[in-house]
């Protein structure tokens, strides 16, 4: 069961400049940063609020690390902006299987590693009203 | 101070069909629906989670009610997808003034009426890394 908005993924050309925009404009601070080689992104997570399921909601700022990454291709086509949204669940495997069974394309056969050791998968935006949609279970799996 | 992700605004051509997608796929139910004549939209709010500041996070599904609305024009250009993101604050007037003072264009001189009697304003996406960004104070003003 999806129990929170886990994050909003925002694609940018310059991560440092974008982090500084969110800090200077709104006071949002970097909670965590990492490079995800598999996804081809360098990212910063800005924690915005706690959520009722024991998790939290973040902004995830994404800068591509290579030209053949999906985020680089998306930026070349769309320019900077909201790249995807993510819902949190205690069981990404069960929700992905359930949603696949309803005819929505799930992009990975098995969940992969996302931010902060989470397990993630994506749903095809053409099956989701144009919204690239991620499902996330936090590291530890409790939410 | 911005204390939560208040909602993600998603533009669609057919609100009823999109509401049904979110219900059937994820189990999200309509918390509130209304027509905002000023904005030129028919909308459904799906509550996803409570937030640590006493508010909540929603998906806001938006269908234009007239061809000259900003959402209709956006859909004609972009197709369906994420239209804007919104942060919640207890004092939209103070935050809008503060952010305007930092050189970010605020689209309204004074906040207008948003979903569920809230008071809202928008920031220019070209000043916000391509992200149309809304600021919201809930009806009652406590968050």
């Amino acid at each position: 069961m999806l129990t929170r908005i886990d994050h909003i993924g925002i694609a940018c050309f310059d991560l440092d400049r974008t982090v500084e925009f969110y800090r200077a404009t709104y006071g949002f601070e970097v909670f965590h940063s990492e490079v995800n080689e598999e996804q081809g992104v360098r990212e910063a997570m800005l924690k915005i609020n706690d959520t009722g399921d024991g998790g939290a909601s973040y902004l995830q700022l994404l800068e591509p690390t290579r030209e053949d990454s999906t985020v680089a291709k998306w930026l070349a086509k769309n320019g900077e902006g909201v790249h995807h949204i993510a819902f949190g669940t205690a069981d990404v495997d069960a929700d992905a299987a359930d949603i696949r069974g309803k005819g929505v394309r799930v992009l990975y056969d098995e969940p992969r590693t996302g931010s902060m050791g989470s397990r993630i998968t994506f749903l095809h935006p053409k099956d989701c009203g144009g919204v690239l949609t991620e499902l996330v279970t936090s590291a530890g799996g409790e939410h």
Side-chain angles (χ1 to χ4, degrees), chain A residues 14-27:
Chain A
D14 184 328
L15 183 61
D16 296 340
R17 193 183 62 191
T18 305
V19 162
E20 176 55 18
F21 168 79
Y22 279 96
R23 192 202 61 74
T25 309
Y26 307 121

Side-chain angles (χ1 to χ4, degrees), chain A residues 100-117:
Chain A
R100 180 180 275 127
K102 292 170 178 171
V104 173
R105 284 170 284 180
V106 178
L107 299 189
Y108 303 153
D109 289 336
E110 298 290 333
R112 298 184 186 177
T113 301
S115 303
M116 303 185 284

